[in-house]
Amino acid sequence: MSFKMTHEQELARKIALEFAEREIIPHRDKLRVEDEEFEEQLAVKEAKAGFHLAMIPRDEGGTGLGQVGRVVMEEELSAAYPRMVSSLHREFAYVFAKATGGVVKEKWMPLILKGEASAAPFINEPQGGSDLMNYTTTARRDGDDWIINGRKCFISDGHKVEFGMILLKTGDPKDPATRGARSMTAFIVEEDMPGYKVERVEKSMAGNLTATVSFTDVRVPGNYIVPPGVGRGISPVFLAVWDVGRMGISAMLLGCILGSCRSSIQFAKERVLYGKPIHDLQAIKHRIADMYIDLAASRALTYRAAWLRDQGMNSSQEQSIAKYYCTQAAIRASLHAINIHGGSGVMDEYMPQMYYRYAPCLIAGGGTDEIMKDTIAASAINGANPVMGANPAETSGFYIL
Amino acid sequence: MKELHSVVCIKPVPDQRFWDKISLDPKTQTLRRAGIPVALGPLDLNALEEALRIKESRGGKVTVVSMGPPGTEEILEWAIVLGADEAVLLSDRAFAGADTLATAYVLASGIKKLGDVDLVFLGNESLDGSTGQVGPQVAEFLGMSHLTHITKIDLTGDNKLEAKFRIEFGSIDVEVKTPVVIAVDKEINEPRLANIWGAVWAQERKINCWSINDVEVDRDKLGLSGSPTQVAGVTTIELKRKGEMLTGEPADIARQLVKKLQTDKVLPEA
C-alpha cells in the first residue's frame, strides 16, 4: 500500500500550479466581473496547456497521467478560481468519442487531442435528472436514422459545446421487452444538427452557466448510437457521469477546500488583532484545524477513488463517497474561511465567498447528496466492503476507460 | 535549412517566493540557503525560451547545462518540462567554491564535450550574483564570438544571425556567424508556461551527470583554488526608521511638518 504521489503526478500538480499563478490568480478581478472575452481566452490557454489529456492513454494520443494526475491538476486550477476548470468538457468529449467509436471517434478525436472540441452529457429534463423512467425526450427509428424530439436542461456550458451524449427513450411502454431500463438509449448529438437549439442560458449564483437545449426532429445516423446499443443507454452515460463528472467535481470541490485553507492561513498570518496575528487565537486555530482535517479526508477519498480507476478497478462507490464528502467538506471549509476573514470574507475581492458560492453549485452535478447516499447505501446493503470492495472494471459490465 | 543544436546554461537560484526566509551567516559571510527551494533564474527562462523557439522554427535540439551540487537536477528537470531535449549536470566537489571564471571554465568544458553546438544561450546575468561575466567568459573558453544584452534574434542563414543588443540610450544591430554565445535580456521574449506533456518528458528525457572524470579540465582552474576572485566580505544594509508623533491642532501640525521637511531639505526654505 502506498499513499505517495508519483513524481509524474507531483510534476503535473506543479505545472497546474504554475499555470494558475500566472494565468488565473493575477487576473481574478476580470473573472469577478465575468469578463467573457478574458474567460474564453483563458479556456483556450487551458486547452493548449493540455490538462484534458491526462485521462487519455498514451497510445491514443494523451499523456496517460490518469485520473490521479487529472484530479491533482483540476484541484489546483479550482483553488485558483473554481469556475475556471474548463477541461471537464474536453474530457467528456473524449469519453463520448471513445465509447461510441467508429465515425464519431474518427471525426472528433483529432480535435479533442488539440483541445478544440468539448462535449456535455444531455441527461437532465425539466422534471428531474435521476428519474430516468419518466424522461420525455424520445427517438424513433426512420430507416437507418433516428429522429430525436425533446428537451434537456441544466447542461453546464451547454451553449458552448460542440457535441454531447444524450440519454433518451427509444422503447415502447407497451412492449415488455423495451420497457423500463431497456427503454433508454444513448446517442451522440452535434450542435450543428438541424433542429438542435439552445433555448436558454441560465446563470448560477457563482456565475457558471447552464443551458437548456431543445431537439425538434433532429435526425441522427444509426452509427451515432452509443454502444452497447438500443435499449442499453444507461451504462455508458452513467460511467461517463462517474468517471468524468463525479471525479472532476470532487477535484473542483477539493480546490474549494484547498483554496479556503490557503487564503485563510495567509489572512490569519497577516491580520493582527489585540497586538498579534489572529492565528494565535484558539478559535481561529481550531477553524484552521477543521479545514485541514476536511482537506486531508477529502483528498484521501478522492485520490483513492481516482487511483482505483487508474488500476482498472470499478470505483463507482468510492467516487460517490468522495463526491458526497467533498461537497459537505467544501461548504464547511469555505464557511470557516468566511468566518476567519470576518467582514472581508464576504467581499468580492476575497476568495472565501466565491468558494462558498461555488461549492453548492456542484451539488447537483453527477447526482445530489441524496442520490450519492442512495447508491452508497445500496452498495453497503449488498455487502460491499468500503475499503476492499473494488472489483476489476471488466467484471462490472461495460466500462469505457 | 540546417537544424541547430542550442545549449542553454542555467543556474539554480533561491526561489523568489522564499527570499524572506534567506539570511546571511555573519561568521561565514555566506547565505543561509538550507531548506530554500531552488528555481530557474528569470533570465535563464528567457534564454531557454529563445532556444526552444529556434528549435520549433528550424528543428534541431536544445540541451541545458548547469554546474552545481546534487539537487541542481531539479531545475534541469524543469527545463525539460518546458521542452529541453536533454540536460547535463556538471557536479563534483572539485567544482565547489568557483567564481565566475572557474564556473565558466567548467561550463565550457561540458559544452565542448557535447560537440557540435551552434548556439549557446545564457541569461545576461544571474538573479543572485548579477555579474554578467559568465557568458563572455564561456565564449572565450570556447573560442566563440559573444553577444550580450540581446533583445532580438533573427536567423538569417545556416551559419549566421542578426541580433539587437541594448545599450544605455538605444540599441545596436549586429550580424554574427555561428557558433556564438548569446546572453539575453528579458525583453527578448515572454517565457512559456509548461505544458502538461512536460510531466511525461521529465520521465523520458535524460539528465546526464558529469563529474571531473567526464570532462577534460585542468584541475588547477577549478573550484575555490582555481578562482582568481574571492568574496572578502559582505555588508548588509540595516534600514532603521524613526517615528515621531506631531501633536496639536491640524494647522499647527501642518506648520511643524513643513518646518521639519525644510530642515531635512525635502522642501525649499520659505
Side-chain angles (χ1 to χ4, degrees), chain B residues 141-213:
Chain B
F141 284 122
L142 292 172
M144 292 183 187
S145 312
H146 75 264
L147 301 167
T148 55
H149 289 294
I150 294 300
T151 57
K152 192 172 188 298
I153 292 173
D154 285 317
L155 299 170
T156 50
D158 275 353
N159 300 101
K160 61 180 181 177
L161 58 86
E162 287 176 4
K164 187 185 282 291
F165 70 86
R166 184 170 55 81
I167 55 174
E168 197 170 4
F169 296 107
S171 62
I172 295 175
D173 295 326
V174 289
E175 187 178 82
V176 290
K177 286 186 177 167
T178 59
V180 59
V181 176
I182 299 167
V184 304
D185 269 358
K186 68 174 181 181
E187 291 79 12
I188 193 166
N189 54 41
E190 176 72 23
R192 71 194 55 197
L193 277 167
N195 182 291
I196 196 57
W197 280 105
V200 177
W201 296 332
Q203 310 303 310
E204 293 175 349
R205 299 179 185 177
K206 206 174 163 193
I207 300 175
N208 296 299
C209 291
W210 291 348
S211 71
I212 191 168
N213 300 318

Side-chain angles (χ1 to χ4, degrees), chain A residues 7-8 11-12 14-15 18-19 21-23 48-50 53 58 61-63 65 73, chain B residues 17 38 74 77-78 81-82 190-200 202-204:
Chain A
H7 187 55
E8 208 172 31
L11 277 175
K14 195 174 168 188
I15 289 167
E18 198 189 61
F19 182 93
E21 285 179 342
R22 199 200 294 185
E23 299 291 351
K48 282 188 178 164
L53 297 174
R58 289 297 298 277
T63 60
L65 289 170
M73 289 189 291
Chain B
R17 286 174 291 192
V38 292
E74 201 178 321
E77 182 186 63
W78 192 249
V81 167
L82 288 168
E190 176 72 23
R192 71 194 55 197
L193 277 167
N195 182 291
I196 196 57
W197 280 105
V200 177
Q203 310 303 310
E204 293 175 349

Side-chain angles (χ1 to χ4, degrees), chain B residues 16 65 70 86 204 235 246 254 260-261:
Chain B
Q16 289 182 75
V65 177
E86 60 182 33
E204 293 175 349
T235 307
L246 303 179
K260 280 183 177 296
L261 291 172

Side-chain angles (χ1 to χ4, degrees), chain A residues 29-40 83:
Chain A
D29 55 338
K30 294 194 182 78
L31 296 168
R32 265 202 306 273
V33 296
E34 293 160 19
D35 180 334
E36 276 182 42
E37 194 185 335
F38 177 80
E39 290 186 4
E40 276 171 28
R83 189 155 51 77

Side-chain angles (χ1 to χ4, degrees), chain A residues 69-134:
Chain A
R70 169 201 175 210
V71 164
V72 296
M73 289 189 291
E74 287 173 5
E75 177 188 347
E76 283 297 344
L77 297 176
S78 170
Y81 211 85
R83 189 155 51 77
M84 284 318 299
V85 183
S86 65
S87 42
L88 242 63
H89 292 295
R90 295 181 205 103
E91 291 161 350
F92 272 127
Y94 163 67
V95 171
F96 297 163
K98 177 160 186 180
T100 313
V103 291
V104 170
K105 191 174 176 189
E106 277 172 32
K107 175 178 178 177
W108 289 107
M109 207 55 196
L111 293 167
I112 292 164
L113 292 176
K114 286 194 278 183
E116 293 172 4
S118 57
F122 292 76
I123 301 175
N124 278 33
E125 296 198 357
Q127 77 281 359
S130 302
D131 184 11
L132 308 183
M133 297 310 132
N134 284 311

